[in-house]
Amino acid sequence: MCGRYEFTSPKGNEFDFVQWPEIRPDLDIRPTNKAPVILLTEPGHYQVQLREWGFIRSWPGKSGKLVKKTLINAKSEEITMKRSFKKAFAENRCIIPMNAWFEWPEIAEINDGLKTKVRIFMPGRPTFGAAGIYEDVIDKETGEVSKRFSMLTVAPGANSPIKNLHARSPLVLPASDYDAWFSSTPDEMQSLMHPYRDVQAFDFEIVGNRKGSDILI
């Protein structure tokens, strides 16, 4: 899954259709952090909002008490069946802009199999959009509104250079599919939820040799 990603600025012209507020660059966006997402608020009008990464859900634990969990990712092939995501997928979809995301593979081809931080990016798209969903949750006691988002994931393509880094990757959308992601019905969107067709569009670089390291090696 994608558990950390980077967004410093809307590099390139892919998101020129959006009026950007002042955004604080963030090289290490983590679950529960606030990050910008793009919403379609009305036909032809897009808005950037800062939202917290992860839906909050509660389940009974072994003791019977409710245990809160943060759901940062949603598997695209299961999203219409999952109660936690079904409503947001049908009604509240967004685009998550990013410059890269990070994984920590332990494979022989990288750093002798040691856990190694790698940065995954698209050389031809310095800023790209991942498929997301969002929701507003009102606290019943305080009335406070919590604005949250979650990210859809897919399995990397079989021939992708990143397929061995992790079993899941963000559902990266071609820019030409943004409008369809915002406006299609859930059934129509099935055609959008697949590994990125251009398997050579991704590349990666080693940026650390232990989790949390940001030192280029």
Side-chain angles (χ1 to χ4, degrees):
M1 69 177 187
C2 175
R4 302 261 278 277
Y5 72 95
E6 166 192 321
F7 180 68
T8 57
S9 64
K11 301 174 182 177
N13 57 10
E14 185 163 314
F15 290 101
D16 284 353
F17 63 90
V18 176
Q19 183 68 40
W20 287 91
E22 185 175 347
I23 298 292
R24 182 179 66 85
D26 198 334
L27 295 170
D28 189 28
I29 298 172
R30 306 182 180 203
T32 72
N33 285 174
K34 286 187 176 181
V37 299
I38 301 169
L39 279 58
L40 177 67
T41 56
E42 58 184 71
H45 184 73
Y46 304 90
Q47 185 180 83
V48 178
Q49 293 185 0
L50 286 178
R51 289 178 168 266
E52 293 179 71
W53 185 12
F55 285 10
I56 301 298
R57 297 291 185 266
S58 298
W59 284 277
K62 293 182 179 180
S63 66
K65 294 183 179 180
L66 291 179
V67 177
K68 287 187 177 181
K69 294 186 178 182
T70 304
L71 307 182
I72 63 171
N73 296 147
K75 289 186 176 181
S76 59
E77 59 269 35
E78 299 177 356
I79 196 166
T80 58
M81 299 177 285
K82 294 291 186 179
R83 184 177 178 183
S84 293
F85 302 117
K86 189 174 182 179
K87 186 175 188 296
F89 178 64
E91 301 175 4
N92 300 322
R93 296 184 293 272
C94 61
I95 301 293
I96 306 165
M98 60 175 68
N99 304 120
W101 77 90
F102 302 97
E103 297 292 356
W104 285 262
E106 297 178 74
I107 56 177
E109 297 88 341
I110 297 177
N111 203 19
D112 296 325
L114 298 176
K115 181 176 285 190
T116 303
K117 184 179 181 181
V118 298
R119 178 181 182 268
I120 304 168
F121 61 99
M122 302 183 76
R125 296 174 67 187
T127 304
F128 53 90
I133 53 179
Y134 69 94
E135 67 179 6
D136 295 341
V137 180
I138 301 176
D139 188 294
K140 294 180 180 179
E141 295 182 1
T142 66
E144 182 179 354
V145 178
S146 176
K147 296 179 179 292
R148 297 186 168 271
F149 75 94
S150 188
M151 184 184 303
L152 273 72
T153 66
V154 293
N159 298 315
S160 173
I162 66 171
K163 67 181 177 64
N164 292 327
L165 302 180
H166 200 279
R168 308 294 297 180
S169 71
L171 173 53
V172 176
L173 297 170
S176 58
D177 284 347
Y178 288 163
D179 285 340
W181 178 252
F182 283 125
S183 59
S184 298
T185 66
D187 287 340
E188 292 171 338
M189 283 192 298
Q190 296 303 314
S191 64
L192 305 180
M193 297 192 293
H194 53 72
Y196 201 76
R197 298 201 188 282
D198 182 1
V199 295
Q200 300 304 317
F202 297 99
D203 202 351
F204 66 90
E205 59 185 350
I206 297 174
V207 294
N209 60 2
R210 64 183 183 277
K211 196 160 187 176
S213 172
D214 292 318
I215 301 174
L216 187 66
I217 63 173

